[in-house]
Amino acid sequence: MSSSTWPTDGTALADVLEPVLNAVEHDDAALTQAVTDVAEALAALGVLIVDRAGKPAHGVTDERAVIGALATYARTLARYGHLDDAIEVGELMDRVDRLGQRPRRWRMAG
């Protein structure tokens, strides 16, 4: 997949998303851990999630933060003509979204 660079010390978005991008397709426990790892990396890089008005969003879950980063990545892929990869990222976003919809206790037990 193609790589784009964020204005965060030249860190490639694909590198930050790598744990989620490489999560095994049918392993929700691995994906859950990858989402946590990526959300922590986003926070460490100072990536700010904003609402539609451009103001900092409060109470953003790990899943929502990762979905936002994946959406940016998918748009970048599509812009550079990597449509199949962008579609795969969209499908991954759906998987991450489903993780966020599970009851909290079940997610912890994983």
Side-chain angles (χ1 to χ4, degrees):
M1 287 189 186
S2 176
S3 175
S4 64
T5 301
W6 281 2
T8 51
D9 301 323
T11 302
L13 180 53
D15 291 344
V16 175
L17 292 171
E18 185 174 351
V20 171
L21 295 172
N22 293 328
V24 177
E25 187 172 337
H26 298 290
D27 187 348
D28 283 350
L31 182 59
T32 298
Q33 184 59 53
V35 165
T36 299
D37 294 345
V38 169
E40 289 175 2
L42 292 170
L45 288 168
V47 173
L48 182 64
I49 307 299
V50 296
D51 62 18
R52 292 181 191 260
K55 297 183 181 191
H58 298 283
V60 175
T61 64
D62 288 355
E63 291 85 5
R64 292 275 58 130
V66 170
I67 288 170
L70 285 168
T72 298
Y73 188 56
R75 283 191 301 274
T76 301
L77 289 169
R79 185 177 319 128
Y80 288 102
H82 302 278
L83 299 181
D84 289 340
D85 291 337
I87 289 168
E88 286 181 31
V89 172
E91 291 168 355
L92 180 56
M93 290 168 60
D94 290 341
R95 276 186 67 205
V96 172
D97 187 47
R98 284 190 298 274
L99 287 178
Q101 295 175 17
R102 294 187 305 185
R104 173 70 62 186
R105 186 168 48 159
W106 191 81
R107 278 191 282 170
M108 298 300 280

